[in-house]
Amino acid sequence: MIKKFIYFSILFILILGVFGAGGLVIEEFKTGEGCPKIMHIPMCLVILICFIVPLISHVLKKWNVLYFLFTGLAGSIALVASIMQYTEHAECPKTTSGTPMCYYSLLLFSSLIILKIYYQKLNNSK
């Protein structure tokens, strides 16, 4: 029962992330102002990929290394962006309520990593 709940929680967070990052990517392609860039690469596109790869890995129940590699990469990007936002050295895209999205990204990717570790431990304790 708890395993199923965790599985679907991870799935829900990943789908939520795909839609959230996807919206920023669409905005980026429309206006060029959707998200910050590093070396001309929109970071929202990187984050979108970092949601899609773990989503595929999770649904197929394969390639856990890729799951952790991509969630870890995105979590690291979100951590650096959050620190830079907090110290006012960068500007993350904001929600309609004014909250920087990098804070939400950090929360989502941290949750995904923690939930997947717990899910794996439950699977291994059969």
Side-chain angles (χ1 to χ4, degrees), residues 25-112:
V25 169
I26 290 168
E27 182 66 26
E28 176 62 32
F29 287 140
K30 280 183 182 174
T31 66
E33 307 274 326
C35 55
K37 295 167 193 64
I38 296 177
M39 298 187 323
H40 303 291
I41 300 168
M43 286 297 99
C44 52
L45 181 59
V46 174
I47 297 300
L48 177 61
I49 292 166
C50 288
F51 275 116
I52 291 172
V53 172
L55 176 62
I56 293 167
S57 168
H58 186 65
V59 168
L60 296 179
K61 297 180 181 177
K62 293 181 175 184
W63 310 309
N64 285 331
V65 171
L66 285 179
Y67 179 97
F68 287 112
L69 182 70
F70 280 84
T71 54
L73 171 65
S76 300
I77 291 169
L79 177 62
V80 169
S82 295
I83 291 168
M84 291 178 72
Q85 171 71 40
Y86 185 74
T87 59
E88 298 179 358
H89 287 96
E91 193 70 27
C92 295
K94 296 199 173 36
T95 63
T96 53
S97 64
T99 306
M101 289 183 186
C102 50
Y103 295 167
Y104 289 121
S105 257
L106 180 58
L107 177 66
L108 291 177
F109 283 108
S110 299
S111 299
L112 287 169

Side-chain angles (χ1 to χ4, degrees), residues 106-123:
L106 180 58
L107 177 66
L108 291 177
F109 283 108
S110 299
S111 299
L112 287 169
I113 291 167
I114 292 165
L115 285 169
K116 189 68 164 188
I117 289 169
Y118 188 59
Y119 182 75
Q120 284 187 302
K121 285 187 182 207
L122 287 174
N123 275 342

